Amino acid sequence: MFTEYEIESMIAYPEVLEATQTLKKDFLKTEAPYLEVSDEDFFSLIIMTPTIGIAMADGKITLFEEMALNKKARKLSKGGYFMKKDPVVYAMKFLIKNYYNWQDKFFDVLKMTIKVTCGLDSMVHAPVEKHEPIDYHEYRQAVLHSPYLLIRFIASFFLENDEDIINENHKVGKSEYQRMLLIGEKLELDHIPVFQMFCKTFQ
């Protein structure tokens, strides 16, 4: 999961900040007119969007999933890990309420952020055979050689613990797996070899 300092570093990109502020203005006006949240914490909410989508894959969020989401949100909050009323946790409730109305707008900001911060447009991608079994040695090398932030994005979105990124035996339900593939497509990660290989590590 990203730290608050990494959040600050990413939102320092002018285009990321502008997109975040525009979406924040629209979201607060439409969904949560009395919500007070900083630009950094709203960007943290944007970062949480894929994880929320995975949790909602089977139509509901369990108590365990809610606790896991709250834990991640608190870690992303600017100086608010132990706050009683955490701003990202509070804002997340509004997003969950009408998630499917907002997801694409949030994903658009996130997609642009990944491209800008990871320099994806300048990367050369060698395609991975879709039906070939994964070569774990090749996958580990791909993780180690990929941009730091790209791996951080993938781990933060789709794993509970970042250190499990090189694990060769991830487990997830069918609906969550299908949702992960869909989110990867929306974020345009689906054509990146390391993400393609990552998806193959799920049983």
Side-chain angles (χ1 to χ4, degrees), residues 84 89-90 95 116 122 144 201:
K84 290 183 179 179
V89 172
Y90 188 56
L95 177 57
V116 169
S122 63
L144 295 175
T201 65

Side-chain angles (χ1 to χ4, degrees), residues 2-38:
F2 288 111
T3 67
E4 63 177 277
Y5 307 107
E6 288 170 324
I7 295 294
E8 287 180 355
S9 299
M10 286 188 281
I11 204 172
Y13 284 81
E15 52 269 71
V16 175
L17 177 60
E18 182 180 358
T20 298
Q21 291 174 332
T22 300
L23 180 57
K24 173 186 167 183
K25 183 178 179 181
D26 185 20
F27 185 77
L28 296 189
K29 179 181 178 181
T30 306
E31 207 66 47
Y34 301 108
L35 176 65
E36 294 184 4
V37 60
S38 67

